[in-house]
Amino acid sequence: MSQFALLGSRRFAPFFWTQALAAFNDSAFRNAMVMLAAFQMGLSDHDVGLYTNLAPALFILPFFLLSASAGQLAEKFEKTRIIRYVKLFEIAAMVLAAYGFITHHLVLLLIVLFMMGVHSTVFGPIKYAILPQALKQSELVGGNGLVEMGTQMAILIGMTAGNLLMLMVGVGPHLSAALTIGVAVIGYLISRRIPPAPATAPDLTFNWNPLTETAQVLRITREDRAVFNAVLGISWFWFFGTVLVAQLPLYTRINLGGDGTVNTLVLTLFSIGTGVGSLMCEKMSGKRVEIGLVPLGAFGLTAFGVDLFLARPGAAAVRGMDWLAFLQAAGSWRIVLDLTLIGVFAGFYVVPLFAFVQSRAPSSRLSRVIAGNNILNALLIVLASLFGLTLERLGVSAAHIFLAAALLNVLVAAYIFTLVPEFLMRFITWVLVNTLYRIRVDGMTNLPEEGPALLVCNHVSFMDPLILMANLRRPTRFVMYYKIFKIPLLHFVFKTAKAIPIAGQKEDPAVLQQAFDAVDAALADGEVVCIFPEGGLTKDGDIAPFRAGVEKILARRPVPVVPMALRGLWGSVWSRRDSMLRRARLPRRFRARVELVLDVPRPAEEANAAVLEDRVRVLRGEMA
């Protein structure tokens, strides 16, 4: 099912439109306020600068003060009820904003801006914690992609609407007031259609002290190193995006020689690119939480960030061009492509990280982890503003600030991927498998979403573990021949994936016993373990008899068993065809069409080597 089908589902659609309208209203209000201060009130440049610089600080302040408390609320109480209270709060804030717009009361508007910061702070942990409750595991990436796309488009449209309406002579404040109140009311009415999302930690004792709770939330966020580094990656995305967006007005005016319409165009390109990249994640990841896309996204951010600098490092020869004249100027389409692709790779980067946090963090703590993420996001946004401001004061141009951010991205990405090799391992696996094969998966819903399980599969090629690793939606421990485990380059992948090396009884009894102990320990911890019961690669394409090791594992630890079969691998690259048959070497098939089929789980008492072998033969297309 396509991710767009979710937009017709009640368990997702009302939430999607509620959050999109919230993002629209926030953007429309903020931009209308800036336009009012800058162009409608006759303020001095000093006063305009004071208000425009104070505004971001007021909006971001609640994220530091209230994120931890918001995380507690989202876990202790039913989420849809909180969403409705938040939307009522938004309506009240927009009524105050309407009075501020019409009376040109900037102090009141700054108070409303702080209120909207509170609104976003409380809504944030719910926004991402509700998705795992509403969506299936296979829908998580697609749902996050839709939310990210909807948010980007809503912000863009809200910015445009806020700017245009407020600049309408005589009626701008009234139209802006009507728009923001109307959108807030519509958002509340839609929010009433969101299905219930039960509390994940109803017995949580609420801590009213924001300082101690902030420390507690950050401690919870750091408990799982992989989750914490994913959070750091998300926060870095906000740093990079803040630096980029903050420099675009100067870059547009000086380097591109454009007017305000060109500034709107470049913001539009970045937003559309991010939306497209977010939507592409589901297709590229095969509906799995594929963190292998994160290094690809990081590479693209740097590559096209550097090229954006190289495309126009100096000042433009002509000033004051509108968007059409800019597009017709020499070299402009390279800049258009760079800005769009920075957005696309930003989508590849951030959507899998959000989905990873949602799938890996315990449900009883996910809202607080998201709250911790929001705190770190706010901190990195402030640091990004200081970073850009400091370089500006030192005389660094906007184009060179882009270059600095793109190069700094290399160091940050390398740091994160060094701390959590799983990101790089998944990237290598994703590239190898998607380069060599075209894979279709059938029956993935038969893989239990939680708890221990033993997977058994036929063994056709040296790439089997990588193919399964790239397509199974749960992290899986593979039992593999110790000599394959030690293959250069792939050894890093297998070790990072916590594969379990095994040897024959005659080769190394100690390694064999250690493998059985490791399998039992993994199953005891609720993990998924995959074995190839044939004991080696097929020599002729047929399935060899299953050995009794599977029975030994189940006797020691009875767990559900999922039979699986790989089809179409025989004769592909890395299979043993030709050499083992001692026939003339024919070219092995590149980009072979491969199928992975999963059967329904079987209880341990109904599974033995013979039964499982027969079932895998049937799945592979042979009659037992």
Side-chain angles (χ1 to χ4, degrees):
M1 182 180 70
S2 168
Q3 66 198 100
F4 293 103
L6 292 173
L7 295 176
S9 169
R10 188 186 169 190
R11 57 195 171 92
F12 179 78
F15 165 74
F16 172 83
W17 291 112
T18 298
Q19 66 85 27
L21 289 172
F24 172 93
N25 230 18
D26 176 67
S27 178
F29 164 73
R30 283 195 284 169
N31 281 277
M33 187 188 75
V34 170
M35 291 299 103
L36 178 69
F39 298 105
Q40 299 281 2
M41 297 181 59
L43 299 176
S44 67
D45 290 345
H46 177 269
D47 288 341
V48 171
L50 174 64
Y51 283 115
T52 55
N53 283 291
L54 182 61
L58 284 173
F59 184 78
I60 211 73
L61 184 60
F63 285 89
F64 289 108
L65 299 178
L66 302 174
S67 284
S69 299
Q72 293 183 93
L73 282 173
E75 286 179 356
K76 185 173 179 61
F77 300 104
E78 198 272 324
K79 293 179 180 61
T80 56
R81 185 186 306 173
I82 302 175
I83 291 175
R84 289 163 192 161
Y85 286 142
V86 168
K87 300 309 292 181
L88 290 172
F89 181 82
E90 181 187 352
I91 293 173
M94 290 303 99
V95 170
L96 289 177
Y99 181 80
F101 283 148
I102 294 169
T103 62
H104 292 189
H105 199 311
L106 273 182
V107 173
L108 179 60
L109 290 175
L110 289 174
I111 292 173
V112 173
L113 184 64
F114 179 83
M115 293 173 67
M116 291 303 290
V118 173
H119 165 275
S120 297
T121 300
V122 177
F123 192 56
I126 300 172
K127 175 178 177 178
Y128 289 105
I130 201 173
L131 287 178
Q133 289 182 271
L135 303 180
K136 301 173 185 177
Q137 182 77 9
S138 60
E139 297 171 331
L140 205 51
V141 173
N144 274 281
L146 286 170
V147 167
E148 187 64 30
M149 179 274 298
T151 301
Q152 291 293 329
M153 293 300 99
I155 290 173
L156 177 64
I157 298 170
M159 175 191 70
T160 304
N163 289 347
L164 292 177
L165 290 182
M166 184 56 74
L167 292 178
M168 289 186 178
V169 178
V171 295
H174 295 80
L175 292 177
S176 298
L179 174 71
T180 51
I181 291 176
V183 170
V185 171
I186 293 171
Y188 169 73
L189 294 176
I190 294 176
S191 73
R192 296 189 62 84
R193 296 283 298 166
I194 301 175
T200 52
D203 298 327
L204 178 70
T205 301
F206 200 92
N207 181 5
W208 293 96
N209 187 325
L211 295 179
T212 59
E213 184 58 25
T214 296
Q216 170 73 356
V217 161
L218 292 176
R219 184 189 65 78
I220 290 172
T221 307
R222 294 189 60 177
E223 284 183 352
D224 186 311
R225 189 177 69 169
V227 169
F228 180 65
N229 282 283
V231 166
L232 290 181
I234 294 169
S235 297
W236 171 251
F237 167 79
W238 282 102
F239 180 100
F240 188 92
T242 300
V243 171
L244 181 71
V245 172
Q247 300 305 316
L248 280 180
L250 276 178
Y251 177 76
T252 299
R253 191 175 68 189
I254 297 172
N255 296 79
L256 304 185
D259 61 9
T261 63
V262 178
N263 186 63
T264 301
L265 173 65
V266 296
L267 282 171
T268 301
L269 292 171
F270 178 71
S271 297
I272 290 176
T274 304
V276 170
S278 300
L279 292 177
M280 289 175 65
C281 285
E282 184 189 54
K283 179 68 174 177
M284 296 180 68
S285 65
K287 298 187 177 182
R288 297 176 306 278
V289 178
E290 182 51 82
I291 57 174
L293 293 178
V294 177
L296 178 65
F299 169 79
L301 289 176
T302 291
F304 292 102
V306 170
D307 194 67
L308 184 64
F309 165 77
L310 296 175
R312 194 69 63 83
V318 180
R319 297 289 183 92
M321 291 186 291
D322 63 13
W323 68 274
L324 187 58
F326 165 72
L327 291 178
Q328 293 172 344
S332 295
W333 283 99
R334 178 179 174 184
I335 295 169
V336 167
L337 184 64
D338 284 336
L339 286 166
T340 304
L341 289 177
I342 287 173
V344 170
F345 282 91
F348 294 166
Y349 181 86
V350 75
V351 168
L353 287 176
F354 271 122
F356 178 79
V357 171
Q358 291 163 347
S359 63
R360 184 68 68 92
S363 59
S364 61
R365 295 187 172 190
L366 177 56
S367 295
R368 282 176 287 174
V369 170
I370 297 296
N373 169 74
N374 289 344
I375 294 169
L376 293 175
N377 288 352
L379 176 61
L380 267 290
I381 289 171
V382 171
L383 291 178
S385 299
L386 294 175
F387 174 81
L389 188 61
T390 301
L391 291 183
E392 281 182 26
R393 292 289 183 267
L394 294 175
V396 180
S397 70
H400 283 84
I401 293 176
F402 288 161
L403 178 64
L407 295 178
L408 191 57
N409 182 62
V410 176
L411 300 178
V412 172
Y415 172 73
I416 293 175
F417 302 150
T418 300
L419 288 179
V420 188
E422 184 178 353
F423 286 86
L424 190 57
M425 177 271 290
R426 295 291 303 190
F427 174 66
I428 294 172
T429 303
W430 183 80
V431 170
L432 279 174
V433 171
N434 286 279
T435 299
L436 297 175
Y437 307 99
R438 290 170 291 175
I439 301 172
R440 187 178 73 86
V441 181
D442 185 25
M444 186 58 71
T445 54
N446 291 324
L447 179 63
E449 293 193 1
E450 58 184 18
L454 182 67
L455 312 182
V456 297
C457 189
N458 58 319
H459 203 0
V460 188
S461 78
F462 292 102
M463 294 291 290
D464 292 355
L466 293 184
I467 291 172
L468 296 176
M469 195 183 302
N471 287 277
L472 295 172
R473 68 173 182 231
R474 284 185 62 185
T476 302
R477 303 279 300 275
F478 290 89
V479 180
M480 62 176 57
Y481 187 46
Y482 74 104
K483 289 185 179 180
I484 297 179
F485 181 82
K486 294 180 179 179
I487 293 175
L489 179 63
L490 295 183
H491 172 69
F492 164 77
V493 174
F494 296 142
K495 182 179 180 181
T496 305
K498 299 181 180 179
I500 301 170
I502 194 169
Q505 179 67 37
K506 295 180 180 179
E507 286 182 291
D508 197 325
V511 170
L512 178 64
Q513 186 57 47
Q514 288 170 6
F516 279 112
D517 291 342
V519 168
D520 186 68
L523 295 173
D525 288 339
E527 296 183 85
V528 176
V529 177
C530 180
I531 64 171
F532 302 99
E534 296 167 86
L537 293 181
T538 177
K539 297 179 180 180
D540 55 10
D542 193 10
I543 295 178
F546 280 15
R547 299 186 180 182
V550 61
E551 297 172 357
K552 183 176 180 180
I553 292 171
L554 294 175
R556 187 171 175 181
R557 183 76 54 181
V559 296
V561 185
V562 180
M564 304 188 304
L566 287 165
R567 302 170 178 168
L569 269 174
W570 182 248
S572 67
V573 290
W574 298 103
S575 67
R576 276 182 166 174
R577 196 200 69 174
D578 301 336
S579 60
M580 296 306 299
L581 295 177
R582 297 181 180 178
R583 291 187 291 184
R585 290 180 176 270
L586 300 174
R588 290 182 171 89
R589 288 179 295 119
F590 184 73
R591 293 285 291 163
R593 292 184 181 275
V594 176
E595 293 183 354
L596 169 63
V597 185
L598 288 78
D599 199 12
V600 295
R602 292 175 175 266
E605 58 270 19
E606 297 179 11
N608 57 48
V611 169
L612 294 172
E613 179 189 333
D614 288 344
R615 191 58 200 157
V616 172
R617 284 183 180 276
V618 171
L619 292 174
R620 207 197 66 159
E622 298 178 7
M623 294 304 296

